Amino acid sequence: LSNETYAKEYRRVVMLRNVAIVGEKIVKVAQAYVKSKLKEVVTEATVDMPPEILENERRLYEALEEHEDVDLWTRARRHMEGPWRYVLIPSPMPNAFVSEVLPRRIFITTSLMETFIESQDELALVLGHEISHLILGHSSSQNAFETSFRTIEILLLSLDPTEGLLSLAFMSFLASVRHAVGAVYSRENERSADELGI
C-alpha cells in the first residue's frame, strides 16, 4: 500500500471507530428512553380501564394494541432491540440515515464526517436525530403516505374511460399535492426528530 492509500484507510477506520463508540452510547440511551416511554404509556392507558379488562390478559392485550401511543412505543422498542451496526459509506454526499429495511444499522457518509463533524458531541447529535426518525416511525408513516397516493393514482388510471387522458391530468395534480404535503410532512418529521434527538 502506498502511504496515501494507507493514510486514507486509516482515517476511514478512525471515523468508523468514532461512529461506533458514539453510536453505542446513543443507542443505549435511546433504548432506555423507549423502554421508559413504553412503560409510561402502558400505565397511562391502563389507568381508566375497567377491572374486567385488567383482570383478563387477552382483553388487556387487545385493549393495549388499539392504543395509539402504546402501538408507537411498542414498535419503537422492536426497532431498537438487539445489537446495532455502524456503516461508513464512502461518498461525496454528506448524509446519515437509518432504515427499517436494514434494521439496527446507522449509515453515515465519509463526506458528512469530514465536512461537518468536528466533535463527538456533533456526531452524537446527528446519530440521535437519525435514531429519532426510527423511534417516531417516520419511515413507516412516509411509506404509508406514499403508498396511499400511488394507489389512488393507479386506481384513477384503471377507471379512466378516456384511456388515460383525464387520469394524466389528474395524476399531475395529485403529484403536485403529494409533493407539497410530503414537504410539510417532511419538515414536521425533521423538527420532531430534532426535538427527540437532542
Side-chain angles (χ1 to χ4, degrees):
L1 291 175
S2 71
N3 285 342
E4 185 180 319
T5 304
Y6 177 79
K8 187 176 181 179
E9 185 60 24
Y10 179 77
R11 281 193 311 275
R12 196 187 74 72
V13 168
V14 169
M15 275 189 250
L16 184 56
R17 182 178 175 276
N18 283 333
V19 170
I21 288 169
V22 173
E24 283 300 314
K25 291 176 185 176
I26 294 298
V27 165
K28 283 182 182 170
V29 168
Q31 287 170 332
Y33 179 76
V34 167
K35 186 177 181 181
S36 72
K37 283 298 287 186
L38 179 57
K39 185 176 182 179
E40 177 186 315
V41 297
V42 166
T43 300
E44 289 172 6
T46 57
V47 150
D48 295 327
M49 285 185 187
E52 59 269 11
I53 291 179
L54 293 172
E55 294 166 2
N56 182 315
E57 190 174 315
R58 182 187 56 77
R59 290 181 69 194
L60 176 60
Y61 282 129
E62 288 171 356
L64 288 173
E65 281 179 340
E66 294 176 13
H67 195 277
E68 188 177 326
D69 286 341
V70 172
D71 182 54
L72 170 75
W73 292 103
T74 299
R75 280 187 282 113
R77 184 157 185 200
R78 273 190 232 117
H79 287 311
M80 294 303 302
E81 286 178 342
W84 280 68
R85 289 187 171 164
Y86 308 92
V87 181
L88 187 64
I89 302 169
S91 171
M93 295 279 296
N95 199 6
F97 60 95
V98 294
S99 169
E100 291 177 359
V101 176
L102 296 168
R104 291 176 301 283
R105 285 175 178 80
I106 299 174
F107 299 88
I108 190 162
T109 65
T110 52
S111 177
L112 180 70
M113 292 293 292
E114 293 168 345
T115 309
F116 296 104
I117 305 297
E118 294 182 10
S119 69
Q120 287 192 337
D121 289 340
E122 290 175 350
L123 179 58
L125 187 63
V126 169
L127 299 180
H129 172 91
E130 296 308 324
I131 287 176
S132 295
H133 281 300
L134 186 67
I135 290 170
L136 296 171
H138 292 164
S139 295
S140 298
S141 302
Q142 186 67 25
N143 289 341
F145 169 77
E146 287 285 331
T147 301
S148 298
F149 263 93
R150 300 278 183 212
T151 302
I152 291 170
E153 290 170 358
I154 290 168
L155 281 172
L156 285 172
L157 273 175
S158 67
L159 298 174
D160 187 355
T162 64
E163 297 180 12
L165 295 176
L166 286 175
S167 294
L168 287 175
F170 194 69
M171 283 176 57
S172 176
F173 169 74
L174 269 181
S176 299
V177 170
R178 182 170 28 91
H179 290 301
V181 171
V184 169
Y185 192 71
S186 179
R187 281 193 296 277
E188 176 59 28
N189 285 351
E190 291 302 320
R191 186 194 57 72
S192 61
D194 284 343
E195 287 175 1
L196 181 59
I198 291 174

